[in-house]
Amino acid sequence: MSFDVAAIREQFPILKRRIDGNPLIYLDNAATTQKPQCVIDALVDYYSTCNSNVHRGAHRLADEATGRFEAARDLVKDFINAPKREEVIWTTGTTEGINIVANGLSQLLSTGDEVIATGMEHHANLVTWQQACKVAGAILKIVPVTEDGELDQAAYDALLNERTKFVAFTHVSNALGTVNPIKEMTAKAKVFGAWVLVDGAQGAAHRKVDVQDIGCDFYVFSGHKIYAPMGVGVLWGRESLLATWPVWRTGGEMISTVTLQEATWNVLPYRFEAGTPNVGDVIAMGEAIRWLMALDHDGLEAHEKALLDRATQLAEAFEGLTIIGNAKEKIGVLSFVMDHGHPADIGFLLDRQGIAVRTGDHCAQPLMARFNVPGTARASFSVYNTLEEVDALFVALKKVRSMLA
Ligand code: PMP
């Protein structure tokens, strides 16, 4: 395979760690990915050589910081094939991006308007619309999830109508790994003129994102799930919408003119970037995107699929284990429950063997209720994981089961 996992692993210092004498096997990538040395270096270099505030300084350091900060915006534009760099808004992460859109939407909806979300959303892409609908007197409708963990497309078709003003769905389910047909779902919503937001938190690291091809109006994602630091993310939105969308936070940078009683708003992207931004992490996110875009993307997808296929095969043969989520198209996420032991116990006992997974409801309580489970244990794979690590997970699970039985 052209995809050199060993060379990739070399770039991640944390993968050399040992946990209680065991080599770290990091299978919690859906929660956050580890960071390659170049991203760490970009952060350290910014603070070591040109730390200063952007867009306002009359000095060399401010010029350099601004240059790096705005270059990162260009990288995001290329990464998601956005038509314009002004449409790329820096946020603190997916959650904030969704809240910016929802804050505006709640002011644009009228009583009786309809919003559609789905039964597989992360709470960030569900609770936020619940609140927006409550404020506006709008009605929230939910696309159900099938037994396999896919969105019920016939039910979605039936929910759409001329009252549908807004549709929000995830690119990829964090809890199940399901990859949704976002282009088709967007096209269906557009027949009724609805605005569409895609939650890309789990999509951006694993699938090529082309917002023009998808046809959506908003695409949001977090840096920390694409090899960048925490505390930084992106809201992409169409200029025609963002230029008039109600503003979010108010303060410095987002204004054009201010009198004692009134203010006018700055142009995009600054209109939505009030206050001092997270300059260092933005710059490091640019580096993460440069790094990710340099990888052979087909090789990446093939490698992650091989990891998922091996894990699924071993899971299906594992006595007492049930996979939750068997969608036809998935990223490398294996969510499961076992006949003995709560997911939290499984996670605890795996950690004792150096294996990091996530357990719990994955911020998707309605989805857990749909599958009648309190939560799941979730192994989520990334570019640097190996088939040997997948095998080691199942050797460790054997021990876990014997301890819990
Ligand atoms: N949506 C999905 C699908 C997610 O997986 C996550 C993070 N687990 C979020 C939204 C929220 O992302 P963040 O916490 O980075 O804002």
Side-chain angles (χ1 to χ4, degrees), residues 6 18-19 95 107 132 135 141 167 217 300 318 329-330 353 393:
R18 298 184 82 83
I19 306 290
T95 303
Q107 298 172 53
V135 168
K141 304 230 161 154
V167 181
D217 300 292
L300 174 155
F318 197 99
E329 203 191 337
K330 284 175 67 172
Q353 300 174 72
L393 167 67

Side-chain angles (χ1 to χ4, degrees), residues 147 170 246 259 274 303 324 326 352 397:
E147 202 52 36
T170 193
T259 66
H303 174 64
I324 308 292
N326 290 297
R352 289 294 166 277
L397 276 177

Side-chain angles (χ1 to χ4, degrees), residues 17-25 350-355:
R17 254 206 81 164
R18 298 184 82 83
I19 306 290
D20 299 335
N22 299 299
L24 167 68
I25 297 185
L350 285 175
D351 175 62
R352 289 294 166 277
Q353 300 174 72
I355 301 181

Side-chain angles (χ1 to χ4, degrees), residues 185-202:
M185 289 181 69
T186 300
K188 287 177 184 177
K190 285 293 163 197
V191 171
F192 296 96
W195 295 313
V196 175
L197 176 141
V198 178
D199 173 350
Q202 298 292 341

Side-chain angles (χ1 to χ4, degrees), residues 30-31 92-96 98 122 124-125 170 172-174 199 201-202 222 224-225 358:
T92 59
T94 305
T95 303
E96 187 173 84
I98 293 170
H122 185 283
N125 204 29
T170 193
V172 174
S173 159
N174 62 313
D199 173 350
Q202 298 292 341
S222 300
H224 71 95
K225 293 182 199 282
R358 166 110 190 244

Side-chain angles (χ1 to χ4, degrees), residues 173-188:
S173 159
N174 62 313
L176 309 178
T178 311
V179 180
N180 289 318
I182 53 174
K183 187 174 171 180
E184 292 73 13
M185 289 181 69
T186 300
K188 287 177 184 177

Side-chain angles (χ1 to χ4, degrees), residues 27 30 173-178 304 307-318 321-326 330-338 350 357-359 362 376-381 390 393-394 397:
L27 304 180
S173 159
N174 62 313
L176 309 178
T178 311
E304 292 183 356
L307 297 171
L308 176 68
D309 287 350
R310 172 85 72 118
T312 306
Q313 194 187 2
L314 292 170
E316 282 171 352
F318 197 99
L321 185 152
T322 306
I323 301 174
I324 308 292
N326 290 297
K330 284 175 67 172
I331 60 158
V333 166
L334 184 83
S335 222
F336 60 94
V337 290
M338 300 216 293
L350 285 175
V357 298
R358 166 110 190 244
T359 63
H362 314 292
T376 71
R378 180 190 69 188
S380 51
F381 310 121
V390 175
L393 167 67
F394 284 88
L397 276 177

